Amino acid sequence: MDHSVFNNSFLDRRKFIINSVKSAGVLSMSSPLITKNILPTKKQFTVQEIIHLILKEGQLPIQKLTVDTIKSGHADQVVTGIVTTMFPTIAVIEEAAKRDANFIIAHEPTFYNHRDDVEWVKNNSVVKQKQQLLEKHKMAVWRFHDYCHALTPDAISYGVAKKANWLPYFKTGETIVTLPSQSLQQMVQHLKASLGITHVKVIGNPEQQCKRVALLPGAWGGQRHVSVAEAEKPDVLIVGEVSEWETAEYIRDARLLGSNIALIVLGHAVSEEPGMEWFVDWLQPKIADVKVTHLASKDPFLWL
């Protein structure tokens, strides 16, 4: 058989079929018969669209007085990837850029004070260098603090309880977690292992039994710590950080006066990090076309 004749005949018939179907309005130019390997277009989001989506999906009313504002970048820039973290440290910024993520959602400040006032200390050389790095990588940073705690459940407390395997005992909106009775030492070891913490600070007898726990990760402040201790009478107060002249001295004197209350200080960053880690699980299904990753800012201290 003359294969050239066969091939020409086949091509003529294929062309006739395609033209016939096209003329009937059935076949578009994107048909697999016309072109191959065309993938669905991924949906793009701007920074502001992501923020709006979080507020909408979380059923979070707009707060007029909030620290949750954009600290770097622009609201209308297209997001290539998202990183969640506690503190947007230099290391987190660099790693985000390596991963082609240009939007950091951070729980805590970028510029070392609650309102991210870059003039908090004038002519701050570290602030200026950090701003330059953010600009170099075209990195947007949005603080997710007030809205994060306003979620139901509170993303931070829920994330900590989940990572500590305490969800069966956790109740949304309550600070008290009632656990099976265990020694203070056992509780400390469990928290270090489950939350990946190297060292904690403790006031109390390692052998004392603990059951009622007041879980206050982060920096709630001495007044809130003492208020919860007075109102709830927990066996142990678990916090992120303390003003040592407030909460720590209250616990020390309470014990000297006969109370059995104990204190576990986890560290600020590591105590809330599980919440920002869990937030990835909350957010990713809602924006499947944008990769969401957690990068831990880690404990800043070296223990000697």
Side-chain angles (χ1 to χ4, degrees):
M1 176 184 289
D2 185 340
H3 291 286
S4 63
V5 173
F6 174 81
N7 289 339
N8 288 336
S9 175
F10 172 78
L11 291 174
D12 288 343
R13 281 186 288 127
R14 184 175 185 273
K15 183 176 180 181
F16 172 77
I17 292 170
I18 291 174
N19 288 336
S20 298
V21 176
K22 282 176 66 178
S23 64
V26 177
L27 187 66
S28 71
M29 292 304 292
S30 62
S31 169
L33 290 174
I34 300 297
T35 184
K36 297 180 180 179
N37 301 322
I38 290 183
L39 298 175
T41 301
K42 287 188 175 182
K43 178 172 175 53
Q44 291 186 326
F45 295 89
T46 66
V47 166
Q48 192 62 61
E49 286 172 338
I50 295 291
I51 294 172
H52 281 160
L53 181 144
I54 291 170
L55 300 188
K56 179 182 177 182
E57 293 292 325
Q59 299 180 31
L60 300 168
I62 298 293
Q63 298 185 27
K64 293 183 179 180
L65 297 176
T66 179
V67 294
D68 292 7
T69 57
I70 295 172
K71 312 301 180 182
S72 172
H74 304 282
D76 59 355
Q77 74 183 65
V78 174
V79 175
T80 59
I82 299 173
V83 160
T84 72
T85 192
M86 266 294 291
F87 290 89
T89 66
I90 299 299
V92 167
I93 295 168
E94 293 281 20
E95 183 60 28
K98 287 180 183 178
R99 299 186 184 208
D100 194 31
N102 68 346
F103 185 23
I104 296 175
I105 299 178
H107 187 62
E108 295 295 18
T110 303
F111 300 117
Y112 324 117
N113 64 91
H114 187 53
R115 298 201 173 276
D116 280 300
D117 178 4
V118 295
E119 295 298 321
W120 184 58
V121 173
K122 292 187 180 300
N123 300 316
N124 188 326
S125 61
V126 175
V127 166
K128 291 179 180 178
Q129 291 177 79
K130 193 169 191 177
Q131 287 175 317
Q132 290 169 359
L133 181 67
L134 289 165
E135 175 58 29
K136 171 187 172 183
H137 293 303
K138 305 301 180 188
M139 190 70 66
V141 178
W142 177 57
R143 188 171 179 194
F144 182 52
H145 180 272
D146 300 345
Y147 289 120
C148 183
H149 287 299
L151 276 176
T152 302
D154 177 316
I156 299 300
S157 295
Y158 184 88
V160 173
K162 183 176 186 295
K163 196 156 190 178
N165 297 313
W166 287 352
L167 282 185
Y169 315 103
F170 177 81
K171 295 181 180 178
T172 299
E174 295 186 11
T175 58
I176 295 296
V177 180
T178 302
L179 304 170
S181 185
Q182 58 198 283
S183 71
L184 181 61
Q185 180 70 44
Q186 289 173 321
M187 186 172 292
V188 166
Q189 292 303 323
H190 173 73
L191 287 169
K192 289 171 66 177
S194 60
L195 302 184
I197 300 175
T198 306
H199 295 86
V200 301
K201 292 193 285 189
V202 177
I203 297 177
N205 179 356
E207 301 304 319
Q208 71 183 76
Q209 290 298 300
C210 301
K211 188 173 182 180
R212 280 173 51 81
V213 170
L215 185 61
L216 294 169
W220 288 91
Q223 187 175 33
R224 179 66 184 276
H225 292 163
V226 174
S227 295
V228 170
E230 286 290 317
E232 300 291 350
K233 300 292 188 292
D235 298 321
V236 58
L237 192 66
I238 300 177
V239 303
E241 70 172 65
V242 299
S243 294
E244 293 186 6
W245 53 279
E246 295 176 341
T247 307
E249 291 304 321
Y250 164 82
I251 297 292
R252 174 155 68 172
D253 273 351
R255 292 183 64 82
L256 290 171
L257 289 169
S259 171
N260 208 35
I261 189 171
L263 175 69
I264 300 175
V265 183
L266 303 174
H268 191 142
V270 292
S271 76
E272 293 191 288
E273 199 80 68
M276 293 307 291
E277 183 177 1
W278 173 74
F279 185 63
V280 173
D281 297 336
W282 185 92
L283 180 59
Q284 185 66 88
K286 299 171 176 59
I287 47 171
D289 290 332
V290 179
K291 177 67 175 175
V292 186
T293 308
H294 177 72
L295 292 177
S297 54
K298 302 180 181 179
D299 189 341
F301 296 103
L302 175 66
W303 297 83
L304 298 177

